[in-house]
């Protein structure tokens, strides 16, 4: 992912990130269903979606840990 895409993710609020992750998970579910019913191949799109979801979850966890550390101090 380009640095600008990562910076765009970092600029989003936690609620926006959670919404985006949910949207990507929904898209992946629809793709799996269409694969089963229509025999379409998923291709590289699912890998990109999984990685994007992982990036979002990582950012959310980093923010969570930073908030906990700030609260402890």
């Amino acid at each position: 992912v380009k640095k600008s895409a990562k910076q765009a993710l970092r600029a989003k609020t936690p609620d926006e990130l959670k919404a985006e992750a949910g949207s990507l998970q929904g898209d992946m579910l629809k793709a799996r269903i269409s694969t089963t019913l229509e025999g379409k191949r998923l291709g590289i799109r699912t890998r990109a979606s999984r990685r994007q979801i992982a990036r979002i979850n990582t950012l959310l966890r980093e923010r969570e840990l930073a908030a906990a550390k700030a609260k402890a101090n």
Side-chain angles (χ1 to χ4, degrees), residues 30-43 45:
K30 289 176 188 174
R32 283 195 307 266
I33 291 171
S34 71
T35 299
T36 303
L37 296 177
E38 301 169 11
K40 291 183 180 178
R41 302 209 56 179
L42 296 177
R45 187 179 59 191

Side-chain angles (χ1 to χ4, degrees), residues 30-63:
K30 289 176 188 174
R32 283 195 307 266
I33 291 171
S34 71
T35 299
T36 303
L37 296 177
E38 301 169 11
K40 291 183 180 178
R41 302 209 56 179
L42 296 177
I44 199 157
R45 187 179 59 191
T46 57
R47 184 194 311 177
S49 294
R50 278 195 328 261
R51 288 183 177 180
Q52 187 71 359
I53 291 168
R55 277 186 207 98
I56 290 170
N57 288 336
T58 300
L59 283 173
L60 289 170
R61 182 67 178 151
E62 285 175 354
R63 290 180 183 179

